[in-house]
Amino acid sequence: MNKAKLLSVFTSDPRIAAIAGAGPGSRIFLKGLIGSSRSFYGAGVYETGSILNLFILPDKEAAAYFFNDIEEVLEDKNLPADKKKVLFFPSSFKKDDPAGKKDNQGLLARTEVLNRMFSKSKKCILVSYPEALSEKVVNREYLEKNTLHLLLGEAVSLDFVLDLLIEYEFERTDFVVEPGQFSLRGGLIDVFSFGGEYPYRIEFEGNRVASLRSFEPATQLSVEKMEEITIIPDVRIRPEKKIRFDPLFEFFPTDSAVWIDDAATLREITIPDESGRMFLEGPDLLKTIGKFTVLEMGKQRYFREGKEIRFEMSPQPSFHKNFDLLFNNLLENSRNGFKNILFADNPKQNNRLKTILEDIGEKHEPVPQENIDILNLSIHEGFIDKNLKIACYTDHEIFERYHHYQLRDGYSSQEALKLKDLYDLKPGDYVTHIDHGVGRFDGLEKIVNNGREQEAIRLIYKNNDILYVSIHSLHRISKYIGKEGTPPVLNRLGSDAWTRLKNRTKSKVKDIARDLINLYAKRRSTEGYSYAPDSYLQTELEASFLYEDTPDQIKATRDVKKDLEATFPMDRLICGDVGFGKTEIAIRAAFKVVSESRQVAVLVPTTILALQHYKTFSERLKDFPCTINYINRFKTASERKQILNELEEGKLDIIIGTHRLLSKDVHFKNLGLLIIDEE
C-alpha cells in the first residue's frame, strides 16, 4: 500500500461524502476523531468537496503539527507556494513581543495566503489558530489597489513600475536580499515581493515586459522563467495608516468549510488593543465563522444545532519500546481483521522497523504480509480506526522518540546571507577577488557596458588601480578575513604576485595531501578487525534515539559503520558544532564494537566532560547489555584500581576518561575502538 492508496481508503468512506456535501451554513459535529486521523479525513474532504477548507487548532504548536501531517498526506511539501494545496496562516507578531515586533516568517506566510485568495484557483487548505485569526488583515479593496500584476509581453513602462514600487513603500537598494526591496540596473528591475519565496527580475524592452523570472539572490542565477508575477506590498498592520482592516474570512468563497478543534479556545480571545480596529474578540470571531459550513472536532460541541457523525477510534497503544508487545499487538490486530500500517519518519527508520519485526517473526507466528505495511510517512499521532479496520502506528511513538514540527524559518536562504555580508560592505573594507587578490571596496558605480548602463562594484588595488566587477560575478568576491588589527597588503593589478601566492598555497596543499595519501595507504595495507553488519540490538538502539536523525547524522553513522565493517583500521573525523549529534554517532559506533565483545575507550579533555559523557552513554545504553565506567582525578585510589582491574579482565566494556587513560598502568583485554573528543 502506498500513500495514494491509503488516502483512497479514507476518501471512499461514505462519511466523507456526507461532510463534503453539506451546504453553506451547515453544522456538523465529528465525534470521536483523534490523533492524525483528522488529517486523513480532512484531506479526503478536500479532494472531494469544498473549494477552501480552514482548520483551526487550539494553538500554534497544535496547528503546526496538523499542518505537517496534512502536508505529508497530500504530498505537498516540496511544491512552490503558488501550487501548494496546504498553506499555514500564523500571526504576524512574535508571541513574546506584544509591542508588535514583526515575525518575518509569519508575515510572509500570511501574505502568501492573501495572494492565494486573488489567484485563479482558490482551492486549498488553510491551517491556523485563534491568535492568528483574531488579527485582521488589510481590506480587499486596499489589497487589490496595492497589488501589481505583470504579464510577459504586457505593454507597461519601467517608470510606471518604479513609481508604483515607491508608492508601495518598497526600499531601493543595490541588491535585493529580503522582501520589500527593489533595485534598478538599466532596463532591469529586481524586486522582492512580500508574497514570494524568491525575488523577481523584470526586464524591459522599451515599454514592454520582455522577460519575467525568479532568481536566487545569493548567486543571481535564475530559478524559473515565469509568464506572470504578482507583487504585494507589506500588509502588516500599521496604526498610522488610516485604512480598514477586515477578518481573513472576508476573502473566503461562500462554500468554504471551517473545521474547529475545541471552539472554546476561540470564545476566550480578548482584544490586545483598545480600539479593536485590528483584532477580533472571540464571540465576534465565532459569529463570523458561522456564515460557513462548520465542522467541530473537539470533545464538546459549541454549535448545538446540526447533525452528528460518529467515528469509532482509539489512540495508538503505548509499547514502551517493548517490541515483543508491539509484535503481539500487530498479530492480534491481524487476527481481528485489521490492516496494520506503520509510519516511519524516513527510509532508515523504515528499514529498522522491518528488521526488528522480521527478527521477532522468526521466533513467533509471523504477521501475514497482506496485513502489515510500513510507509515512509511522517505523521504526529497514531490511531486505530475501528470503522475502516486499520491500525495506524507511528515509529516515534513506538520508540518513544521526540517528534517536532517543522515550519519555514524565514524567507532568506543561508546563501543569501553571504550576499547580505557583501551588501553590508562599507567603503574602505577589504575584500578578496579570486582572480586578482586583496583589494579595497570603494562602493558601487554606474558604468556603461555594451551601450547599456549598469551598476558594478568598484575595487581599489595597489597604486590606486581600479577594477569594476559586474554584479553577475559577485560569487568571485568575498570579505577579507585575516589577522585582526593588521591591515592586509593590497595586491597590484596585472602583477603575477597573487598567482604565485595561489600556486605556492596549492603546492603546500599538495604536499599535505601527498603525506596523507601515504599515511592512508599504509593504513589500508594493515589488516584490521572487520565487524559484522548491524545486529538486532544495534537496530533497536538506533531506532530508540529520542530525536529524528538529521541528514548529516545519517550519513556520518553510515560512513562510520562502513569503516568498522572494513578489513583495515578505521580513522575518521566527525566535525560539527555543539548540539549537532556527534555524541550519538559515537554511542552507536561504541555499541557496535561492544556487541562483538571488544572494548571501547573514550578520551576526553576535561574531568567534567568525562562525567558528562559517562551520564550520556549510561542513559542511552541502560537497556542494553553493556558495562560503562569513567576514570578521572576525582576517583579514589581504590576506585581507580578496581576500574583498571575490571578493564584488564574484560569486565568493563566502555571506559571514559581524560589523559589518565594513556598511563602505562592502563591495560585492555581487547580494545576495539578509541574515540577522541577534541573539544
Side-chain angles (χ1 to χ4, degrees):
M1 180 181 287
N2 55 28
K3 292 182 186 180
K5 190 172 181 181
L6 176 60
L7 181 56
S8 70
V9 172
F10 290 88
T11 307
S12 59
D13 189 321
R15 291 169 297 186
I16 291 284
I19 296 170
S26 300
R27 305 284 183 267
I28 302 175
F29 181 46
L30 308 176
K31 187 173 184 178
L33 277 182
I34 62 171
S36 294
S37 67
R38 296 171 299 176
S39 303
F40 286 96
Y41 281 104
V45 171
Y46 166 79
E47 294 284 4
T48 59
S50 302
I51 288 178
L52 190 148
N53 287 267
L54 168 67
F55 288 83
I56 306 175
L57 284 299
D59 52 47
K60 184 175 181 178
E61 181 178 285
Y65 278 120
F66 181 84
F67 173 69
N68 285 168
D69 278 358
I70 205 160
E71 266 194 322
E72 282 280 332
V73 173
L74 290 171
E75 298 183 329
D76 197 52
K77 275 194 170 181
N78 299 317
L79 295 176
D82 60 331
K83 295 182 177 63
K84 274 185 172 291
K85 301 173 184 175
V86 189
L87 296 173
F88 193 69
F89 189 76
S91 169
S92 67
F93 300 106
K94 291 185 181 294
K95 189 173 183 179
D96 57 355
D97 187 2
K101 183 178 180 182
K102 74 173 183 178
D103 179 348
N104 286 336
Q105 187 276 331
L107 172 61
L108 180 61
R110 288 174 72 88
T111 310
E112 284 178 349
V113 170
L114 292 179
N115 190 25
R116 187 60 168 270
M117 296 299 100
F118 281 111
S119 68
K120 294 175 183 177
S121 173
K122 290 187 176 66
K123 184 165 185 178
C124 65
I125 290 173
L126 300 184
V127 181
S128 191
Y129 48 98
E131 181 187 8
L133 290 170
S134 69
E135 183 185 332
K136 295 181 182 179
V137 297
V138 292
N139 66 78
R140 180 185 293 271
E141 293 77 16
Y142 175 85
L143 194 58
E144 286 178 341
K145 182 182 176 183
N146 291 276
T147 298
L148 175 61
H149 300 278
L150 286 178
L151 299 173
L152 184 64
E154 182 178 0
V156 61
S157 71
L158 181 148
D159 291 336
F160 173 77
V161 175
L162 280 180
D163 290 342
L164 275 182
L165 292 176
I166 293 169
E167 184 180 336
Y168 293 170
E169 300 182 5
F170 276 70
E171 176 191 5
R172 182 169 179 175
T173 59
D174 297 316
F175 311 104
V176 296
V177 293
E178 59 185 29
Q181 296 178 336
F182 77 94
S183 67
L184 174 65
R185 291 185 300 279
L188 286 178
I189 294 179
D190 289 347
V191 58
F192 210 144
S193 168
F194 280 90
E197 187 174 356
Y198 293 102
Y200 302 126
R201 179 160 290 156
I202 311 165
E203 185 174 0
F204 291 86
E205 286 184 0
N207 290 332
R208 186 179 69 86
V209 178
S211 171
L212 293 172
R213 59 187 185 272
S214 57
F215 68 94
E216 169 59 62
T219 62
Q220 299 288 302
L221 297 177
S222 296
V223 174
E224 180 185 8
K225 290 184 178 180
M226 311 185 78
E227 295 292 324
E228 61 179 309
I229 62 171
T230 302
I231 299 172
I232 300 179
D234 188 346
V235 297
R236 269 175 298 154
I237 294 168
R238 284 172 287 177
E240 70 274 11
K241 282 190 171 290
K242 303 301 181 183
I243 59 175
R244 190 179 84 250
F245 298 97
D246 291 333
L248 176 68
F249 303 99
E250 293 296 323
F251 292 83
F252 284 12
T254 56
D255 62 346
S256 300
V258 180
W259 303 59
I260 309 176
D261 183 1
D262 191 3
T265 58
L266 292 172
R267 189 177 60 241
E268 296 166 0
I269 292 175
T270 56
I271 296 177
D273 73 318
E274 293 181 0
S275 69
R277 186 170 70 92
M278 303 174 191
F279 295 88
L280 279 174
E281 279 193 322
D284 294 326
L285 185 55
L286 283 165
K287 184 178 179 181
T288 306
I289 290 170
K291 297 186 297 184
F292 307 99
T293 299
V294 177
L295 306 165
E296 293 191 74
M297 301 180 289
K299 294 180 180 178
Q300 294 183 341
R301 63 190 305 175
Y302 176 81
F303 297 95
R304 294 299 173 185
E305 70 276 14
K307 62 180 178 179
E308 180 176 288
I309 298 179
R310 289 178 173 270
F311 296 84
E312 295 295 326
M313 292 191 174
S314 59
Q316 174 175 334
S318 295
F319 299 109
H320 304 294
K321 293 187 281 189
N322 185 326
F323 300 106
D324 288 319
L325 188 63
L326 167 66
F327 189 86
N328 291 333
N329 179 267
L330 297 177
L331 198 57
E332 183 181 355
N333 287 343
S334 177
R335 289 169 181 161
N336 292 331
F338 279 73
K339 175 81 169 182
N340 295 296
I341 302 172
L342 306 184
F343 297 127
D345 288 343
N346 54 61
K348 181 67 175 176
Q349 282 292 91
N350 190 317
N351 293 333
R352 287 169 180 161
L353 278 169
K354 284 181 180 176
T355 301
I356 290 171
L357 294 177
E358 286 172 0
D359 287 346
I360 299 178
E362 291 177 358
K363 307 170 189 174
H364 304 81
E365 174 190 348
V367 179
Q369 193 170 355
E370 65 273 12
N371 283 342
I372 186 168
D373 273 311
I374 303 179
L375 299 184
N376 184 22
L377 185 73
S378 178
I379 65 169
H380 186 50
E381 292 179 301
F383 58 93
I384 300 173
D385 192 323
K386 298 175 183 177
N387 301 114
L388 298 180
K389 297 190 83 67
I390 56 173
C392 298
Y393 297 165
T394 70
D395 71 313
H396 52 267
E397 289 178 284
I398 292 171
F399 297 115
E400 297 183 345
R401 293 168 55 243
Y402 183 65
H403 187 244
H404 196 270
Y405 63 82
Q406 294 179 340
L407 292 176
R408 188 167 58 188
D409 291 330
Y411 38 64
S412 294
S413 69
Q414 290 183 344
E415 291 182 350
L417 297 178
K418 300 175 185 176
L419 174 65
K420 195 169 184 181
D421 289 339
L422 190 60
Y423 169 67
D424 290 338
L425 283 174
K426 298 178 179 61
D429 289 346
Y430 293 100
V431 298
T432 303
H433 192 288
I434 194 170
D435 297 321
H436 304 286
V438 180
R440 191 173 64 247
F441 179 71
D442 197 40
L444 293 149
E445 186 173 319
K446 290 183 179 179
I447 61 173
V448 177
N449 184 20
N450 294 327
R452 298 183 67 173
E453 188 179 69
Q454 67 178 57
E455 284 183 315
I457 294 175
R458 176 185 167 106
L459 301 180
I460 305 296
Y461 282 83
K462 196 170 184 178
N463 301 326
N464 288 323
D465 288 340
I466 298 173
L467 175 70
Y468 291 103
V469 180
S470 165
I471 61 150
H472 298 294
S473 299
L474 291 179
H475 59 283
R476 306 190 73 79
I477 300 173
S478 61
K479 191 170 183 178
Y480 173 80
I481 300 174
K483 190 175 180 182
E484 194 171 339
T486 305
V489 177
L490 297 181
N491 288 104
R492 191 174 69 207
L493 289 178
S495 166
D496 63 350
W498 176 249
T499 302
R500 290 201 307 271
L501 176 61
K502 287 200 297 183
N503 289 338
R504 285 201 303 272
T505 304
K506 288 178 183 177
S507 178
K508 289 181 179 179
V509 169
K510 287 179 180 178
D511 290 340
I512 295 171
R514 190 179 301 109
D515 292 341
L516 285 174
I517 290 171
N518 289 334
L519 174 64
Y520 278 90
K522 292 178 182 177
R523 182 175 289 277
R524 281 292 181 105
S525 62
T526 303
E527 186 176 353
Y529 182 85
S530 177
Y531 291 87
D534 287 356
S535 64
Y536 161 72
L537 286 175
Q538 182 77 28
T539 302
E540 185 177 326
L541 169 70
E542 294 180 15
S544 66
F545 185 43
L546 189 59
Y547 304 98
E548 182 180 349
D549 288 0
T550 65
D552 287 338
Q553 272 184 307
I554 293 172
K555 183 179 184 304
T557 302
R558 184 173 59 244
D559 291 343
V560 167
K561 289 180 184 176
K562 184 178 177 182
D563 288 347
L564 287 171
E565 293 168 13
T567 56
F568 51 87
M570 174 177 74
D571 180 21
R572 180 168 289 275
L573 175 65
I574 306 294
C575 295
D577 290 337
V578 174
F580 273 46
K582 301 185 298 297
T583 305
E584 174 63 21
I585 296 170
I587 290 170
R588 295 176 185 183
F591 187 70
K592 188 175 181 72
V593 170
V594 169
S595 297
E596 299 199 24
S597 302
R598 297 174 75 87
Q599 294 169 301
V600 177
V602 183
L603 186 63
V604 297
T606 65
T607 54
I608 293 176
L609 196 57
L611 180 59
Q612 288 176 344
H613 275 335
Y614 169 71
K615 290 179 178 178
T616 303
F617 273 69
S618 299
E619 177 63 27
R620 281 291 283 125
L621 299 172
K622 65 182 179 182
D623 298 324
F624 298 89
C626 183
T627 56
I628 308 166
N629 212 329
Y630 71 102
I631 188 168
N632 61 22
R633 59 189 175 87
F634 294 121
K635 294 277 190 181
T636 64
S638 60
E639 287 175 332
R640 289 197 294 269
K641 183 177 180 181
Q642 182 180 349
I643 290 170
L644 294 179
N645 287 338
E646 290 177 352
L647 197 63
E648 189 170 3
E649 293 170 5
K651 296 179 180 178
L652 194 57
D653 296 313
I654 299 176
I655 180 69
I656 302 168
T658 59
H659 61 281
R660 178 69 177 81
L661 288 179
L662 305 178
S663 302
K664 292 182 179 179
D665 61 338
V666 178
H667 303 285
F668 295 86
K669 182 178 182 181
N670 193 7
L671 181 62
L673 176 66
L674 171 63
I675 299 171
I676 304 174
D677 187 349
E678 289 193 284
E679 191 177 47

